Amino acid sequence: MATTATAAVLNGVHEDFALEEITLDDPRPDEVLVRVVAAGVCGTDLGVQAGHIPFPLPGGLGHEGAGIVEAEGSQVTSVKPGDQVLLTFTSCGTCRNCRAGHPAYCVDFLHRNLLGGERADGSATIRRGTEDLHGHFFAQSSFSTHVLADERGLAKVGPDADLSLLAPLGCGIQTGSGAVLNVLRPEPGSTLAIFGAGAVGLAAVMAAALSPSVRIIVTDLVDSRLELARELGATDVFNSKDVDVPAALAELTGGVGVTHALDCTGNAGVVGAAIRALAPMGQRGLTRAPAAGTTVEVDINFVLNGRTITGITEGDSNPQLFLPALV
């Protein structure tokens, strides 16, 4: 028996979201029906609306959902009706990267989460009247009162968990904190520079404050964000409108450069500056996706001195383990 829901449907690029009635299939064996309590709004959702991400429209977006399980498929074992869950990305579970504990780098990640608008087999999960809508965004499309989610995209939390607070852990907070704790892993004496103090950058600040880093440097264009970054653990903050950031970083590090840098902006100019700020053997993490085809010039001889540039998706998280740890 199909479920009726109200969803915020995006009918086209640059259009407003429209509240519309939709219907959802019954859960397949590996799917779960979730009543959504809260959902974060991520830059990726807005990137589809702005036309930067080629998700097929019309469709349902949202990928930081949190809610309560109402029904489960016959093969689902990790949750049952009444359980509170956070919704996050999905993965195939069988490719080399998934089996190695890196589901965020599933070889089919883009189709299953970001670009497909459908189940892995090409079928739709939501309809508007008799019309199939594109959905299954990060295996959830949580801008809706109910969603069909893959079991692999769920993380169970306690019955007393505040879902309205925890919903953004499914993407933005997981990405920023995981970039620090799972990927960069700063060691004692490290200097970490974080470029961009939005949700992802501030999550990285909080994670860095739990790490052995001795200096946590944050740059942004908004003073209020920088003030919050300092409250959350940043040791130094710069408004890049007012300061020559490369020069400031050089001064703070005695001209050596930072041992770790994390870009949370997706701005090509910022990415290039952050690479040039690295010390020998420095690590550079990239978390934000700019428009397709964006490039940055890199001096190969500069990189040969042990410097690394790493792309990071979803904080390289295993969400069923990492999200409860974040909670």
Side-chain angles (χ1 to χ4, degrees), residues 27-32 73-76 112 119 149-152:
R28 290 186 176 183
D30 61 345
E31 293 178 339
V32 178
S74 59
Q75 296 176 6
V76 172
R112 289 174 179 264
R119 293 183 177 100
D150 289 0
E151 182 182 18
R152 286 187 61 80

Side-chain angles (χ1 to χ4, degrees), residues 7-325:
V9 176
L10 184 64
N11 287 294
V13 172
H14 301 307
E15 294 189 20
D16 293 333
F17 289 88
L19 293 177
E20 300 184 15
E21 183 177 284
I22 63 168
T23 56
L24 293 82
D25 284 346
D26 288 337
R28 290 186 176 183
D30 61 345
E31 293 178 339
V32 178
L33 177 67
V34 178
R35 176 172 60 83
V36 176
V37 172
V41 179
C42 178
T44 304
D45 300 305
L46 302 182
V48 174
Q49 186 184 34
H52 300 156
I53 298 172
F55 181 79
L57 299 173
L61 302 178
H63 63 288
E64 294 182 341
I68 300 171
V69 174
E70 290 199 344
E72 83 277 25
S74 59
Q75 296 176 6
V76 172
T77 59
S78 62
V79 296
K80 63 183 184 304
D83 285 344
Q84 293 204 131
V85 292
L86 304 181
L87 294 93
T88 183
F89 65 92
T90 192
S91 54
C92 74
T94 58
C95 71
R96 180 178 182 275
N97 293 343
C98 284
R99 289 183 174 182
H102 302 283
Y105 303 125
C106 173
V107 297
D108 199 26
F109 181 92
L110 288 178
H111 179 77
R112 289 174 179 264
N113 291 279
L114 195 58
L115 304 181
E118 58 195 12
R119 293 183 177 100
D121 66 3
S123 61
T125 53
I126 58 176
R127 294 172 182 82
R128 178 172 54 188
T130 59
E131 172 194 12
D132 286 348
L133 284 178
H134 300 288
H136 207 59
F137 193 60
F138 285 75
Q140 51 182 286
S141 290
S142 53
F143 291 168
S144 177
T145 55
H146 288 78
V147 300
L148 274 181
D150 289 0
E151 182 182 18
R152 286 187 61 80
L154 298 179
K156 183 179 175 181
V157 295
D160 299 324
D162 182 352
L163 297 180
S164 65
L165 176 68
L166 300 178
L169 268 62
C171 184
I173 309 304
Q174 173 173 243
T175 296
S177 58
V180 174
L181 299 176
N182 298 333
V183 182
L184 296 181
R185 297 183 178 183
E187 299 172 344
S190 298
T191 301
L192 170 64
I194 297 168
F195 295 78
V200 174
L202 291 174
V205 172
M206 289 188 281
L210 300 174
S211 79
S213 299
V214 285
R215 203 150 210 166
I216 304 167
I217 308 163
V218 180
T219 71
D220 199 275
L221 296 170
V222 181
D223 286 334
S224 60
R225 289 181 172 189
L226 294 171
E227 293 169 7
L228 181 55
R230 194 180 288 280
E231 291 177 22
L232 295 176
T235 58
D236 304 270
V237 299
F238 300 112
N239 188 315
S240 50
K241 291 186 300 185
D242 307 325
V243 174
D244 182 338
V245 174
L249 292 176
E251 182 178 352
L252 282 176
T253 60
V256 175
V258 298
T259 60
H260 301 79
L262 183 67
D263 177 68
C264 304
T265 70
N267 179 286
V270 175
V271 170
I275 293 171
R276 292 189 293 273
L278 286 177
M281 294 194 70
Q283 295 175 269
R284 177 78 172 102
L286 308 176
T287 65
R288 289 294 301 273
T294 300
T295 61
V296 177
E297 289 190 3
V298 177
D299 184 332
I300 295 175
N301 288 308
F302 181 77
V303 176
L304 287 177
N305 202 1
R307 298 174 174 92
T308 60
I309 304 167
T310 303
I312 301 171
T313 296
E314 297 288 358
D316 192 9
S317 163
N318 186 337
Q320 287 72 35
L321 298 176
F322 192 58
L323 292 187

